[in-house]
Each structure stands twice: as structure tokens, then as C-alpha cells.
């Protein structure tokens, strides 16, 4: 009975390749003898050979050198000649398929690292803006009243979302309240006071504003998922000076 070193499944006694994982199981290395250049632990002879022995432990394949003295026939291993306290862990060996996978992952990792260092992903991202990008240039955007959007929601929520949500607009009105950490303000617009979330690059501009001041911003309108009085808010707003 013979088992594959790599996958552990039973194979034909004379099989040279595992039919399950397709690894080389010819054991040619185990049959080959090498000059060891070590002394026999029994008779002290330097006429010693070794062969490589493989073993599978919990799905991991190990290889170890087994020495044979040609003078007295004594067989021993490194732990016999160097002592059991010697840290002589058998070498882990990998199958050809696993080596290919590891090589691919290392190559892919190097390529990704280079692309990140060159900011390729950032360039791609900036060249393909999404609806959640920071709107830096407000020129050419349509000015809309937040109250009109609110009324459109009341008339037909689905059509209002299709018309406004996820799109950038310019909004104008008086400041009702500025959040203490200056990340959000509420704009008083007739019946509603929706939240206007300021982009982090714009927070410093709020130092020049206080409640009651008129402000113009552009940003992306978003839809609140919960059922509340104000169903909309503005994301990534830019303050227009």
C-alpha cells in the first residue's frame, strides 16, 4: 500500500505521479545516495552516505537526511550525532503545484506594491470619478432649492430619487446651525433644515461663518435610508466663496 506524500491519498504501488494532486511521487531522491562528509557516531569512520527521507505530518511534507556508515552499517540522523537539544527541524518541502501558486502570489504582490507606489490606482480612480467623489469644481452645476427637492419627495419619492440622488448640485441658504467639530452644518431652507456634510478639505472655511450667515455650497445629494422628517442630506460639500 502506498500513499501520496503531498495529498495523503492512496495510490498505486508503482505510481510515479499522484493521480489526485499530480505531484511527483517517484521517490527517486530517497533511493539516491550522497556523500555525507560526517563521521559515524559509532565507529568514527568518515565513509558515510546519506539519503533523503520524506514524511507527511498533518498534511505537511518534510524531508530529512538519514546517514548510513559504509564501514559498520550504523544508521543515524542529525539529532543522534548532535544531541536531542539541537534545534534540527526537518526541512519543509513544497509540491510543484504549490510552488507555482506561491511564486504567482509573490509576483502579484510585487506588481501590486509597485502600482501602489506609483499611485496607479489613484490615477485610475481620479480618471473614473464616482457619484461619491469630492466635488471640487462647482462651475456649471445647477442651483436647486432644498425645499423643492423635499416637495418632490413628498409627491413621488422614486422619481425624486432618480432625479436628484447621487448627483452634484449647488445649494444656497442661511446657516441654521454649525456642528461643533465643523464637519456638518444645517441649512435653513423654508420647511426643512437638511444636514450638509462638509468635505474635510473645506472645514477650515467654516471659521468665517456663523449661524444666520448666507452660504453657498455644492455637493452630492444623498438619500437617508431611515424614515425621518428630512429624507435627504448633502455629502462631500464644497464651500463656494
Amino acid at each position: 500500500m502506498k500513499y501520496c506524500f503531498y495529498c495523503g491519498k492512496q495510490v498505486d504501488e508503482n505510481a510515479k505521479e499522484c493521480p489526485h494532486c499530480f505531484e511527483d511521487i517517484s521517490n527517486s531522491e530517497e533511493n539516491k545516495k550522497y556523500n555525507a562528509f560526517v563521521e559515524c557516531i559509532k565507529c568514527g569512520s568518515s565513509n558515510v552516505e546519506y539519503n533523503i527521507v520524506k514524511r507527511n505530518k498533518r498534511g505537511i511534507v518534510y524531508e530529512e537526511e538519514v546517514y548510513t556508515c559504509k564501514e559498520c552499517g550504523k544508521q543515524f540522523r542529525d539529532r543522534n550525532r548532535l544531541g536531542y537539544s539541537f534545534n534540527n527541524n526537518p526541512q519543509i518541502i513544497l509540491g510543484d503545484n504549490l510552488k507555482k501558486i506561491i511564486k504567482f502570489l509573490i509576483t502579484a504582490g510585487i506588481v501590486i506594491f509597485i502600482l501602489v507606489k506609483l499611485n496607479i490606482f489613484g490615477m485610475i480612480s481620479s480618471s473614473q470619478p464616482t457619484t461619491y467623489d469630492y466635488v471640487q469644481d462647482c462651475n456649471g452645476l445647477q442651483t436647486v432649492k432644498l425645499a423643492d427637492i423635499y416637495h418632490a419627495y413628498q409627491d413621488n419619492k422614486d422619481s425624486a430619487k432618480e432625479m436628484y440622488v447621487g448627483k452634484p448640485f449647488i445649494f444656497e441658504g442661511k446657516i441654521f446651525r454649525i456642528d461643533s467639530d465643523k464637519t456638518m452644518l444645517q441649512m435653513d431652507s423654508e420647511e426643512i433644515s437638511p444636514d450638509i456634510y462638509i468635505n474635510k478639505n473645506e472645514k477650515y472655511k467654516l471659521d468665517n461663518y456663523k449661524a444666520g450667515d448666507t452660504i453657498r455650497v455644492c455637493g452630492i445629494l444623498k438619500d437617508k435610508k431611515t424614515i425621518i422628517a428630512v429624507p435627504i442630506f448633502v455629502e462631500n460639500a464644497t464651500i463656494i466663496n
Side-chain angles (χ1 to χ4, degrees):
M1 186 177 297
K2 182 177 178 180
Y3 294 90
C4 173
F5 286 117
Y6 300 94
C7 66
K9 295 182 180 179
Q10 186 174 351
V11 297
D12 185 77
E13 188 69 30
N14 298 319
K16 296 184 180 299
E17 181 181 85
C18 176
H20 307 288
C21 65
F22 307 106
E23 297 290 351
D24 181 9
I25 55 172
S26 60
N27 298 335
S28 57
E29 287 185 337
E30 294 198 9
N31 298 323
K32 188 174 181 180
K33 301 291 185 180
Y34 303 89
N35 190 359
F37 299 105
V38 299
E39 292 184 354
C40 175
I41 62 173
K42 182 179 179 179
C43 68
S45 172
S46 297
N47 192 8
V48 178
E49 295 180 332
Y50 74 89
N51 62 297
I52 297 174
V53 175
K54 298 179 184 178
R55 60 189 177 92
N56 189 309
K57 184 178 181 181
R58 296 180 181 177
I60 300 176
V61 180
Y62 297 85
E63 68 176 15
E64 190 174 11
E65 296 174 357
V66 176
Y67 304 98
T68 303
C69 177
K70 297 178 69 176
E71 298 294 334
C72 67
K74 175 67 176 178
Q75 283 194 329
F76 56 95
R77 305 187 183 196
D78 278 336
R79 62 174 177 265
N80 301 128
R81 69 189 185 91
L82 299 173
Y84 285 95
S85 62
F86 178 75
N87 186 18
N88 180 47
N89 296 319
Q91 179 184 359
I92 300 176
I93 60 174
L94 305 173
D96 292 337
N97 292 337
L98 188 56
K99 286 180 181 177
K100 291 178 182 178
I101 293 173
I102 293 175
K103 184 178 180 181
F104 170 78
L105 292 176
I106 292 174
T107 304
I110 293 173
V111 172
I112 292 173
F113 175 78
I114 294 173
L115 293 178
V116 169
K117 293 294 286 185
L118 294 176
N119 198 28
I120 298 298
F121 295 121
M123 294 169 60
I124 293 173
S125 176
S126 62
S127 65
Q128 298 177 353
T130 68
T131 57
Y132 304 105
D133 281 339
Y134 169 37
V135 182
Q136 294 177 280
D137 186 3
C138 302
N139 293 327
L141 295 180
Q142 179 186 357
T143 300
V144 298
K145 293 183 178 181
L146 290 163
D148 290 343
I149 300 174
Y150 176 62
H151 292 150
Y153 259 76
Q154 290 181 316
D155 294 338
N156 190 317
K157 180 179 179 181
D158 292 334
S159 63
K161 288 176 65 175
E162 183 177 352
M163 184 178 299
Y164 295 111
V165 173
K167 299 176 183 178
F169 298 100
I170 294 175
F171 308 97
E172 183 176 357
K174 288 187 177 182
I175 298 174
F176 175 72
R177 181 179 70 89
I178 297 177
D179 192 78
S180 59
D181 61 2
K182 297 183 179 180
T183 58
M184 183 269 290
L185 62 88
Q186 286 182 306
M187 186 180 290
D188 190 1
S189 180
E190 300 178 18
E191 300 98 325
I192 61 171
S193 298
D195 298 336
I196 310 292
Y197 288 92
I198 304 300
N199 186 276
K200 63 181 181 180
N201 297 320
E202 299 286 320
K203 287 173 57 177
Y204 73 95
K205 294 182 180 180
L206 280 178
D207 293 337
N208 301 320
Y209 292 89
K210 62 182 183 299
D213 290 345
T214 299
I215 192 170
R216 295 179 72 232
V217 302
C218 72
I220 298 165
L221 193 80
K222 293 198 68 178
D223 175 55
K224 288 186 176 179
K225 304 302 180 183
T226 56
I227 302 175
I228 55 177
V230 184
I232 56 175
F233 66 98
V234 178
E235 183 181 60
N236 277 332
T238 296
I239 298 174
I240 303 174
N241 295 322

